[in-house]
Amino acid sequence: MNYIIKIHFVILLSRQGKVRLTKWYSPYSQKERTKVIRELSGLILTRGPKLCNFVEWKGYKVVYRRYASLYFCMCIDADDNELEILEIIHHFVEILDRYFGSVCELDLIFNFHKAYYILDEILIAGEFQEPSKKTVARLIAAQDSLVETAQEQASSISNMIGQATK
Amino acid sequence: MGSQGGWGQSKEFLDLVKSIGEARSKAEEDRIILREIDTLKRRIAEPDVPRRKMKEYLIRLVYVEMLGHDASFGYIHAVKMTHDDSLLLKRTGYLAVTLFLNEDHDLIILIVNTIQKDLRSDNYLIVCAALTAVCKLINEETIPAVLPQVVELLGHSKEAVRKKAVLALHRFYQRAPNSVSHLISNFRKRLCDNDPGVMGATLCPLFDLIKEDINSYKDLVVSFVSILKQVAERRLPKTYDYHQMPAPFIQIKLLKILALLGSGDKQASGHMYTILGDIFRKSEPSSNIGNAVLYECICCVSSIFPNPKLLEAAVEATSRFLKSDSHNLKYMGIDALGRLIKINPDIAEEHQLAVIDCLEDPDDTLKRKTFELLYKMTKSSNVEVIVDRMIDYMRSINDNHYKTEIASRCVELAEQFAPSNQWFIQTMNKVFEHAGDLVNVRVAHNLMRLIAEGFGEDDEGADSQLRSSAVDSYLCILGEPKLPSVFLQVICWVLGEYGTTDGKYSASYIIGKLCDVAEAHSTDDTVKAYTISAIMKICAFEIAVGRKVELLPECQSLIDELSASHSTDLQQRAYELQALLGLDSQAVESVMPSDASCEDIEIDKNLSFLDSFVNQSMEKGARPYIPENERSGMFNIGNFRSQYQHEASSHSLRFEAYELPKPSPPPTIPQVVLPLPTTDLVPVPEQTYPRETHHAPNLPSATDASSVDFGVKLRLEGVQRKWGRPTYSSPSASSSSSTQKTANGATHLDGRTVSSQTRDNFYDSRKQQAEVSAEKQKLAASLFGASTAKSEKRQLPTHKTPKGVPTTAEKPAVKGAISSSEPPKEKTVPSSPPPDLLDLGEPTPASTPSIDPFKQLEGLLGPTSAPSAIDHSSAAGPKTPDLMALYTDTPPAAVSSGSLNPELADIYTVNKNSHGTTNVAAMNKGQNRQDSLQKDATARQVGVTPTENNPSLFRDLLG
């Protein structure tokens, strides 16, 4: 164990193996990334529901947790506390849920950049940064409100629909 | 609604995401993305792209890259966007560069200036964004450019900034420890930060620092313990609670640090006992996070100086994990058990059935973890069962990474604990057969050595039995398709040496088999070299005992084929074989003595036995030998070679034709019985062989080297030869003449002379029965047997020796283990109800001494720990955090009640104005139906309908 926690990457996969979000904290080339994702979807998506939420993979461990049709996966060193990582994932999902209001996969598909901002408040350089949900929510809200005042164009639902049906 | 429910992107982008969502194949997805890349390239290059448009392009680039395509053409635009004044755009720019660029990317130099400026910004959000980028992008070279500002930010008024500054500094430390070595004291200072988030972040760098240099941080033990105590006592603000646990993530970090600090330090560990006991007592085994803390506590207890009470509590928690239905907990239980048995191996015994359940679980992850545990608890009494299991598992998997690992573990265990050489060989055979290409070639050499050297005792009978059984098994295995190359080499070598030794198989049968091998592996030169050498040995042995060797047609054609091979090595071996076939039995026996692979090859480096020959030649007018390094290139090589053919050839190719052999002195039996290497590249007439004898001394260097390499006397012939060392003679050298018998007591296996055949039968029968669930108990007995045997008192008086287990006198250890631990049923029903281990304060009558050490400890530490922290902070300044004082100033309402801080509640209502209520419950699920409906409506407008590809796209993730 070199670091207190070292998360090498975070990947969100749909049940069909589609990538919904990736964040790499250790250096991987684009080619390696594709390979990692392919291998992991083969490994994780095929697992039954009652099995461990961990898989050993090339000397690392991948902790995953399924929410509806979405798999949240985090890769850690082999001797880390897997249960803790499971809860970090859950912590992330709870914050997403608060932010989006009953978050669903579609929210993440269309708002992946927002999910990135949230993730950046929870993990930094692969380490767990903020254990307080409220602190994260407050920071993100502050950023958003600042953004929104600068943004005269309101992205309200009606506006959106208008745009989409143009 | 703000940014939440709506997706504020353009129709174009929504369409892209939608079409990706509907793509039926990866190829289709790739086509769509490639089209998108084209579009983006064009758009981005247009003059005067509005900034808001550019922001969207960047997000689209991120999307493209996320799906595995190269978006490097747009990186520079991401860099430009970080320069923007608007936070909105700057944030997008920073997000994009942190996702795009690695720390060594050339473009980073263009961002450093911006980062410097942003770190000085009045707006703490901009500072935060810049710090996030710093953590990802700043490399060793650029650290000095931002370091002063980051250090300054450690004292920023906003806790979010301080926290990120701590983590940035930590990042610098990881990248280039020297760059921040003078700043390390800052971490200690920040440990006393009055924001728990900052304090928690400080634990990350401190962990690293403590790992590097434990002794410099021993003074912090009391502080860490005091912090942990306060956390566990819920002195932190309620916002740090997670599923009713007080700041579990901070607890876990602290436990990891304490585990480091207490390792092997009785005094430091003493400070921790009370709080660890408290945590065990307060644990919440019903929640996952509670178990995470519990697990970390077990790790800590098993790492620090052992305390019996705490160990009991840890064992209790572990057994709860193991008994749980959840695979995750079982997994953690197995891991915890692996840690605890390091302290006391007997702990495993109580959980043997649970362990075996995990071993037989269909879940691969659990299985592998259990193998790891078994690996840790292997000893000579259970090695056979464990390695058998491992090999069975190894066969069933395709994952090469893990296969390599488990194969090397099998080898390691077998080498360390093998009960008999026979078993060792059989085990190695299996490992080779199933993972041959993945194991180290050294393992093959060890195996050959073992077969050649035998038991290391003067029991020739057992040795030959071992060899003939090896031959039997190899002939059997040869029938199987696709054997790994390394294994084939071993097989060929053994068949060559011992194939015909016991007379069970005829020479032509073995040769036929070897020819088949060569034919089946026509592309593998090494295997072919091994086969031809093996054939040569068998022929030699036949000739030596006076039998006529009739070459099979396929053997002849093999020789013909190899004589014309592109590989000079193979050619040479083929010619050697042909040469050997023409020799008489006496000569052959000298060249290829039977079963001599272990013999020492005595080397006379001074070549004294040649003296008479040299003198004779000199008298006849020969020129004296000139060492090679004194020879000039212009030397008349041709002339020289006539005397010193092989010396001359040692480092250069000869281009002239060979001379005809000179009429030589009448054949004499060599003075010294020396190996007669058939080093000639061409078949030589028989009468020249005495001269060859004189060249034999060319061998020493290579022979020396190789015997040194392997540390034994066994010569491993057929090591692939390339151009480099012509002095290295043919494989025949390995089975050389008789000198002295190797004193081969060096074999590192503890070779008990056991009737291995019966052993085999026993284990074969075992394997077949393994499926029967009743056999689990037997398995348990054989796995855990030895340790059970120690605690005789636990046994029931009635032993039942399991049926089908042959009771042979030769295996007392196994038998003893089985009978002594036979009634495992008794294990599941402990004789006395388990004491309430978690209640450390209450001594259980049976097992605890009358004075509770914990009470004593509490008496010693309890009252002093908190006050001492205060004392320190007043006396020693910031070194010791006074957290109790720090956290108590948070409003009592926030600590004690569930209601939100009013200010925060406001923020939330702004965010969630769609359900205008300030009730805390509004944060919870179920109140957001309106949101969901709106999302649904939006999605339908965009054209994504849930019935399409993935009906659960709309399902609440937490629902």
Side-chain angles (χ1 to χ4, degrees):
Chain A
M1 185 160 51
N2 283 323
Y3 305 116
I4 197 157
I5 308 178
K6 176 69 190 177
I7 294 167
H8 297 282
F9 53 76
V10 177
I11 297 177
L12 269 62
L13 282 175
S14 80
R15 207 158 47 101
Q16 290 78 17
K18 291 201 163 130
V19 178
R20 297 305 188 205
L21 194 85
T22 57
K23 179 93 183 174
W24 308 87
Y25 295 106
S26 301
Y28 291 86
S29 72
Q30 194 64 264
K31 215 174 177 180
E32 288 167 329
R33 293 177 182 187
T34 314
K35 196 162 161 254
V36 168
I37 292 168
R38 197 179 49 233
E39 286 185 22
L40 285 185
S41 18
L43 212 58
I44 290 171
L45 302 180
T46 52
R47 281 174 71 82
K50 296 206 85 181
L51 306 182
C52 285
N53 288 79
F54 331 124
V55 286
E56 282 177 20
W57 174 77
K58 302 200 158 164
Y60 295 104
K61 208 161 293 166
V62 179
V63 177
Y64 70 93
R65 194 156 176 169
R66 182 178 169 175
Y67 293 91
S69 55
L70 202 55
Y71 286 82
F72 289 68
C73 315
M74 290 188 182
C75 174
I76 52 169
D77 287 333
D79 51 1
D80 263 331
N81 183 341
E82 293 87 353
L83 291 180
E84 184 192 6
I85 304 295
L86 268 185
E87 291 312 299
I88 290 178
I89 293 178
H90 193 70
H91 179 72
F92 179 39
V93 175
E94 281 185 344
I95 291 171
L96 287 174
D97 192 59
R98 276 195 185 188
Y99 181 77
F100 287 105
S102 300
V103 66
C104 65
E105 190 177 338
L106 221 52
D107 287 317
L108 299 181
I109 294 175
F110 288 106
N111 273 318
F112 59 89
H113 58 293
K114 301 256 166 84
Y116 273 125
Y117 292 134
I118 293 174
L119 191 58
D120 275 346
E121 292 304 325
I122 297 173
L123 299 176
I124 214 164
E127 271 177 1
F128 189 54
Q129 178 194 177
E130 183 49 65
S132 161
K133 266 175 266 190
K134 197 178 285 174
T135 310
V136 174
R138 198 164 33 184
L139 263 173
I140 296 285
Q143 290 171 2
D144 278 356
S145 65
L146 217 128
V147 164
E148 267 161 40
T149 51
Q151 197 175 13
E152 62 288 296
Q153 166 233 355
S155 58
S156 66
I157 278 286
S158 57
N159 200 327
M160 253 279 324
I161 292 173
Q163 233 177 11
T165 48
K166 237 179 248 168
Chain B
M1 194 60 232
S3 53
Q4 268 89 311
W7 302 305
Q9 289 92 22
S10 72
K11 169 107 172 75
E12 212 176 29
F13 182 49
L14 293 177
D15 282 346
L16 169 73
V17 175
K18 196 180 134 215
S19 61
I20 289 290
E22 286 166 357
R24 300 264 159 197
S25 67
K26 184 76 186 144
E28 193 183 338
E29 188 185 299
D30 287 347
R31 270 199 304 280
I32 297 169
I33 290 292
L34 289 176
R35 214 164 46 226
E36 171 72 6
I37 288 176
D38 274 351
T39 316
L40 284 174
K41 271 186 185 159
R42 240 183 7 253
R43 295 283 180 77
I44 280 183
E46 279 170 15
D48 301 328
V49 182
R51 292 187 309 171
R52 197 172 309 285
K53 264 270 175 268
M54 188 53 97
K55 169 180 166 265
E56 190 189 296
Y57 294 152
L58 276 186
I59 291 177
R60 283 158 73 170
L61 283 172
V62 169
Y63 190 68
V64 162
E65 189 120 313
M66 193 171 87
L67 293 182
H69 292 262
D70 176 47
S72 53
F73 63 89
Y75 290 178
I76 186 67
H77 296 279
V79 172
K80 274 190 204 154
M81 188 148 283
T82 60
H83 305 337
D84 204 286
D85 290 331
S86 137
L87 173 63
L88 167 71
L89 300 179
K90 190 182 276 297
R91 190 163 75 138
T92 310
Y94 274 132
L95 176 69
V97 290
T98 52
L99 289 169
F100 289 154
L101 307 182
N102 269 329
E103 60 179 69
D104 50 1
H105 201 283
D106 295 337
L107 287 177
I108 285 178
I109 205 74
L110 298 178
I111 309 173
V112 174
N113 253 328
T114 319
I115 289 181
Q116 279 180 321
K117 202 180 88 210
D118 288 346
L119 289 176
R120 277 190 225 106
S121 167
D122 296 336
N123 185 339
Y124 80 99
L125 292 171
I126 289 181
V127 179
C128 282
L131 279 172
T132 307
V134 162
C135 286
K136 167 80 181 172
L137 299 175
I138 295 297
N139 51 33
E140 199 172 345
E141 267 171 61
T142 41
I143 286 174
V146 296
L147 188 59
Q149 281 145 19
V150 172
V151 173
E152 207 175 297
L153 290 173
L154 288 171
H156 198 273
S157 62
K158 284 279 182 187
E159 59 278 359
V161 174
R162 293 201 300 276
K163 180 182 68 191
K164 282 183 203 283
V166 166
L167 289 167
L169 213 53
H170 180 207
R171 198 79 191 119
F172 297 162
Y173 175 75
Q174 289 174 336
R175 291 252 161 87
N178 294 332
S179 65
V180 291
S181 49
H182 57 292
L183 296 165
I184 281 171
S185 61
N186 282 296
F187 293 131
R188 279 169 174 265
K189 243 181 260 166
R190 280 302 125 209
L191 189 60
C192 321
D193 198 287
N194 56 10
D195 179 77
V198 181
M199 183 273 291
T202 316
L203 298 177
C204 301
L206 282 174
F207 179 88
D208 280 12
L209 290 167
I210 292 170
K211 209 178 161 61
E212 291 291 312
D213 177 15
I214 291 180
N215 290 328
S216 314
Y217 293 89
K218 292 281 186 191
D219 60 313
L220 285 181
V221 170
V222 181
S223 315
F224 287 128
V225 168
S226 140
I227 296 171
L228 184 55
K229 194 165 153 53
Q230 293 171 68
V231 173
E233 286 171 357
R234 298 183 182 269
R235 306 260 189 106
L236 255 55
K238 246 301 195 242
T239 50
Y240 286 89
D241 281 11
Y242 178 86
H243 295 199
Q244 281 87 52
M245 283 282 286
F249 296 110
I250 293 179
Q251 286 194 44
I252 290 175
K253 282 181 187 173
L254 285 164
L255 286 168
K256 283 182 178 170
I257 289 176
L258 290 183
L260 280 184
L261 285 170
S263 168
D265 182 338
K266 194 171 181 180
Q267 201 200 346
S269 302
H271 292 297
M272 304 169 191
Y273 292 155
T274 320
I275 182 62
L276 291 175
D278 283 350
I279 292 176
F280 272 120
R281 212 180 356 245
K282 286 179 183 164
S283 68
E284 288 185 40
S286 56
S287 74
N288 194 34
I289 189 68
N291 287 321
V293 174
L294 211 48
Y295 166 79
E296 206 57 59
C297 226
I298 299 172
C299 294
C300 184
V301 165
S302 63
S303 160
I304 63 175
F305 190 86
N307 170 288
K309 272 271 182 182
L310 288 176
L311 273 178
E312 262 181 76
V315 170
E316 172 71 10
T318 306
S319 81
R320 215 170 40 233
F321 283 172
L322 286 169
K323 284 176 192 148
S324 153
D325 284 337
S326 148
H327 272 67
N328 288 347
L329 289 185
K330 281 187 186 169
Y331 180 96
M332 301 313 272
I334 293 280
D335 184 276
L337 199 55
R339 292 171 190 268
L340 291 172
I341 55 168
K342 278 185 207 152
I343 300 172
N344 178 4
D346 294 341
I347 292 171
E349 176 196 331
E350 194 189 322
H351 305 289
Q352 35 187 290
L353 288 182
V355 170
I356 287 166
D357 277 340
C358 292
L359 190 62
E360 290 176 352
D361 199 279
D363 186 349
D364 253 11
T365 308
L366 196 51
K367 211 175 232 171
R368 289 180 189 191
K369 194 75 192 175
T370 315
F371 275 123
E372 202 181 301
L373 172 69
L374 292 183
Y375 168 74
K376 284 182 197 157
M377 50 180 260
T378 305
K379 49 200 160 206
S380 46
S381 63
N382 58 13
V383 64
E384 290 157 283
V385 191
I386 289 177
V387 172
D388 264 4
R389 286 269 161 171
M390 284 183 167
I391 290 175
D392 280 353
Y393 180 63
M394 192 176 74
R395 279 179 202 193
S396 67
I397 55 172
N398 294 319
D399 170 358
N400 271 354
H401 186 273
Y402 192 68
K403 218 172 187 169
T404 313
E405 193 179 309
I406 200 164
S408 69
R409 280 183 175 178
C410 284
V411 171
E412 190 188 319
L413 292 178
E415 286 183 350
Q416 213 176 332
F417 298 110
S420 70
N421 286 352
Q422 171 90 28
W423 178 85
F424 179 76
I425 287 171
Q426 299 227 327
T427 304
M428 289 300 104
N429 286 354
K430 286 185 212 154
V431 172
F432 275 121
E433 207 176 323
H434 301 289
D437 293 327
L438 304 172
V439 292
N440 193 324
V441 74
R442 185 190 60 83
V443 177
H445 296 163
N446 279 347
L447 178 57
M448 289 191 271
R449 185 176 74 202
L450 187 89
I451 294 177
E453 289 181 350
F455 288 92
E457 287 161 25
D458 288 333
D459 185 355
E460 276 301 319
D463 282 2
S464 57
Q465 197 199 352
L466 170 78
R467 288 168 191 155
S468 42
S469 76
V471 170
D472 285 347
S473 68
Y474 289 153
L475 284 173
C476 206
I477 288 168
L478 271 184
E480 286 170 31
K482 286 201 172 180
L483 291 170
S485 174
V486 186
F487 190 35
L488 279 167
Q489 292 164 26
V490 177
I491 292 179
C492 290
W493 186 85
V494 171
L495 288 184
E497 281 296 321
Y498 305 112
T500 53
T501 315
D502 63 357
K504 198 163 149 195
Y505 302 101
S506 71
S508 59
Y509 177 75
I510 302 280
I511 291 177
K513 284 281 181 192
L514 288 167
C515 289
D516 291 346
V517 173
E519 198 184 344
H521 300 86
S522 53
T523 50
D524 189 336
D525 277 359
T526 318
V527 169
K528 280 202 285 190
Y530 269 86
T531 53
I532 192 89
S533 299
I535 291 173
M536 174 154 62
K537 278 184 247 174
I538 288 173
C539 293
F541 302 155
E542 286 296 292
I543 294 170
V545 296
R547 279 196 285 267
K548 183 100 183 70
V549 177
E550 291 286 349
L551 274 194
L552 301 166
E554 64 255 43
C555 183
Q556 190 57 56
S557 66
L558 177 68
I559 294 174
D560 293 345
E561 181 208 320
L562 296 188
S563 314
S565 167
H566 288 297
S567 153
T568 46
D569 176 60
L570 290 179
Q571 264 193 34
Q572 178 172 346
R573 287 166 198 265
Y575 282 120
E576 281 166 8
L577 172 55
Q578 278 177 334
L580 184 117
L581 290 173
L583 298 177
D584 65 42
S585 67
Q586 200 183 24
V588 167
E589 199 171 359
S590 317
V591 175
M592 282 281 185
S594 169
D595 188 21
S597 57
C598 302
E599 308 305 329
D600 266 345
I601 300 166
E602 221 172 54
I603 290 141
D604 180 359
K605 283 189 179 159
N606 296 326
L607 316 185
S608 57
F609 54 89
L610 280 177
D611 288 352
S612 64
F613 172 76
V614 172
N615 291 338
Q616 214 176 358
S617 305
M618 300 247 275
E619 275 164 26
K620 285 183 191 161
R623 289 200 236 173
Y625 174 72
I626 301 166
E628 191 173 30
N629 50 5
E630 292 169 27
R631 256 173 267 157
S632 82
M634 299 310 289
F635 199 85
N636 184 346
I637 288 175
N639 195 7
F640 167 78
R641 198 186 58 235
S642 64
Q643 293 295 330
Y644 300 102
Q645 195 167 339
H646 286 258
E647 283 87 346
S649 71
S650 59
H651 286 291
S652 57
L653 283 173
R654 285 175 292 167
F655 295 103
E656 301 87 354
Y658 290 103
E659 286 178 4
L660 281 174
K662 275 168 51 172
S664 46
T668 51
I669 301 302
Q671 304 90 317
V672 183
V673 190
L674 252 194
L676 285 174
T678 49
T679 41
D680 273 4
L681 293 170
V682 290
V684 280
E686 202 185 334
Q687 77 265 23
T688 57
Y689 78 80
R691 213 187 60 185
E692 292 307 315
T693 316
H694 304 150
H695 298 301
N698 282 336
L699 283 173
S701 60
T703 313
D704 249 358
S706 59
S707 53
V708 166
D709 278 352
F710 299 114
V712 282
K713 306 307 180 204
L714 170 64
R715 286 291 326 283
L716 298 165
E717 56 162 316
V719 176
Q720 197 161 17
R721 281 175 298 172
K722 297 287 182 199
W723 291 100
R725 299 283 299 264
T727 49
Y728 181 22
S729 143
S730 79
S732 58
S734 66
S735 44
S736 61
S737 67
S738 66
T739 40
Q740 98 245 30
K741 180 88 184 160
T742 322
N744 52 7
T747 167
H748 56 295
L749 302 162
D750 78 340
R752 266 186 283 155
T753 339
V754 181
S755 162
S756 31
Q757 205 57 55
T758 45
R759 234 168 218 291
D760 278 357
N761 294 340
F762 169 54
Y763 284 108
D764 284 348
S765 67
R766 275 210 44 74
K767 219 187 285 172
Q768 285 157 12
Q769 294 160 344
E771 304 312 311
V772 191
S773 73
E775 293 299 314
K776 263 185 207 170
Q777 304 187 340
K778 220 184 292 168
L779 178 60
S782 37
L783 283 177
F784 298 87
S787 61
T788 320
K790 285 185 207 155
S791 52
E792 288 284 319
K793 55 180 180 205
R794 279 173 168 257
Q795 280 171 46
L796 291 181
T798 51
H799 301 320
K800 279 178 286 174
T801 311
K803 286 174 208 159
V805 181
T807 47
T808 325
E810 279 103 338
K811 35 187 218 306
V814 177
K815 187 186 153 200
I818 286 166
S819 55
S820 63
S821 62
E822 169 44 28
K825 229 190 273 171
E826 175 247 1
K827 293 291 172 294
T828 54
V829 190
S831 47
S832 64
D836 186 6
L837 293 169
L838 290 183
D839 194 0
L840 293 169
E842 198 113 318
T844 35
S847 58
T848 47
S850 51
I851 301 159
D852 182 5
F854 263 86
K855 289 263 189 249
Q856 288 182 313
L857 274 174
E858 267 165 55
L860 284 171
L861 297 171
T864 50
S865 61
S868 77
I870 293 166
D871 285 352
H872 278 239
S873 64
S874 53
K879 287 256 157 119
T880 323
D882 177 12
L883 280 157
M884 205 152 63
L886 293 173
Y887 297 139
T888 40
D889 65 8
T890 42
V895 178
S896 56
S897 81
S899 72
L900 287 166
N901 184 320
E903 181 201 333
L904 283 176
D906 281 343
I907 290 171
Y908 278 102
T909 38
V910 170
N911 275 343
K912 307 218 169 221
N913 52 10
S914 57
H915 40 84
T917 162
T918 52
N919 192 336
V920 187
M923 301 314 158
N924 297 338
K925 300 208 53 69
Q927 298 288 322
N928 291 323
R929 195 168 293 150
Q930 216 179 334
D931 274 358
S932 305
L933 285 176
Q934 280 176 340
K935 265 186 233 166
D936 189 69
T938 316
R940 280 170 202 280
Q941 288 293 339
V942 180
V944 188
T945 51
T947 45
E948 269 166 21
N949 236 340
N950 182 359
S952 43
L953 280 180
F954 287 97
R955 273 180 50 198
D956 291 358
L957 293 180
L958 283 173

